[in-house]
Amino acid sequence: MFDKTLAELASGLENGDFSSVELTQTYLDRIKAEDSKYNSYITVTEEHALAQAKAADEARAAGNASAFTGLPIAQKDIFCTDGVKTSCASKMLDNFVAPYNATVVDKFNAAGAVMLGKTNMDEFAMGSSNESSFYGPSRNPWDTDRVPGGSSGGSAAAVAARLAPAATGTDTGGSIRQPAALCGITGLKPTYGRVSRFGMIAFASSLDQGGPMTRTAEDAAMMLNVMAGFDHRDSTSMQVEVPDYTADLNQPLKGLTIGLPKEYFPQDLSPAIAMQVQNAVKEFEAMGATVKEVSLPNTALAIPAYYIVAPAEASSNLSRFDGVRYGYRCESPVDLEDLYKRSRGEGFGPEVQRRIMVGTYALSEGFYDAYYKKAQQIRRLIKQDFVNALNECDVIMGPTTPHPAFKLGEKTSDPVAMYMEDIFTIALNLAGLPGMSIPCGQTEGLPVGLQIIGDYFAEQKLLNVAHQFQLATDWHKQTPDGI
Amino acid sequence: MALDRSDVEKIAHLARLQIDEQEIPQYTENLSSILDLVNQMQAVDTSDIEPMANSHDAVQRLRADEVTEQNNREKLQSIAPAAEAGLFQVPKVIE
């Protein structure tokens, strides 16, 4: 049962092959037996899950089932869950039981989904390897000596290890797409403003976006049907109609124009990755797509601009953690300043502290124009690059990451080397565009991800393109050894 | 761009972060290398470019000035490190 996709599980439930309680119990048993190898969950919500499953079965028996009723998923531990610990993988929130639900959580509840638990991640979503988690790193199911990527690494590992059929993630600079690529699963970062950020603990508010992490594009469409939509509680939520994301999956790709940015195939790109991506593009050509070279000339500026915008917004967002209202408080503070400084110094890990300090510096008196304003101007150049390229093609393709999964500890001593892993994903967040990563090959037994980028609110097109690839290939069906 | 020890101490103070004495050299090195990275931006002339804070250039949405939230003080304060009589408790700030 655990090797089925969400779509297959949905028909199993509908046909009465198994109940949601049986399905949920299967996953809970698997998590108990297997997750010590992957550390993909921070919290498993067994009782809560079984109660939701029972309610889903009752709803189905009463004739009130909808597409998602009784399907189990995992939530990244960045989404607030009423009455359930919501840690953001930080010591700062280790004792935080959220007093309300994120909109995304409310929507899954309303759809009748079952929450299996909360997944591991980089602390406050700051990282590309999951190694900054207060609860220890999650591990890559393809090789447990390697990272699952980050920040949504626990969600990616859980889906790859079949410890959840699907999970939510969030993506500020690649945090859905990069771990999806490294763990051989499908991940979608929607257009900025498509999925509500309410109750999704803020890292960089102008870049953060929640999205699905699944085995297939079809499953991602099912998840996005639940997640997407306007929310008056999110001031940057966009009032744009939500289509049925499963409706166009079977459209043929004849006539599709694929743009390949030359900047996404640099000289030093791993030849194995370049080859797998080229092979995937040939697959699309065989389906009737045409390919042309495009250019995103400001690509090299994306990481520098991001490492001002994201830390500046983070330093502002994370100022709320002060040891006063909720979260960690230091022992015996002597005065208010000591309370703030020690609660924050002891509660945040090193990567979070580094980013708060970079952001504080960039926003401090006299530096605003040179850093924050400059980065915002470069954002516009980067957006314009994509707008120009997307005038010449329907979708842009390239590698999701420059390398396959790296070893635990390999990049922890050099933050800048870690940041460079996000070279192909980060620009999208600055531009606010949607992007996907789907498995398109392997190198030395490790998955390789193909990134597909589309125009604003073109998630339906991305899902269609990804689904057609998955009908023609079986990279998404590969399973790590021992699972 | 090289920061020195006193820069890092000043930034940490502004951010209200207590950092260990022995960690300052490491932070100094890391922050300097991050600033070297971000300073690549300075090579580009952006003088005529309008800064972009929101990718849709959206503006702040307004709503009617009506009470929409309920008072959840008890629930919200139940997770506070120290609260009493509806107030959050902090060390004494007025002598």
Side-chain angles (χ1 to χ4, degrees), chain A residues 379-393:
Chain A
R379 268 187 96 164
R380 189 171 298 281
L381 294 176
I382 287 168
K383 171 181 171 165
Q384 201 52 51
D385 280 0
F386 280 107
V387 170
N388 294 343
L390 287 165
N391 279 335
E392 295 179 47
C393 61

Side-chain angles (χ1 to χ4, degrees), chain A residues 11-27:
Chain A
S11 24
L13 287 169
E14 198 182 329
N15 297 337
D17 300 342
F18 43 80
S19 67
S20 177
V21 169
E22 287 167 333
L23 175 60
T24 301
Q25 193 62 58
T26 301
Y27 276 103

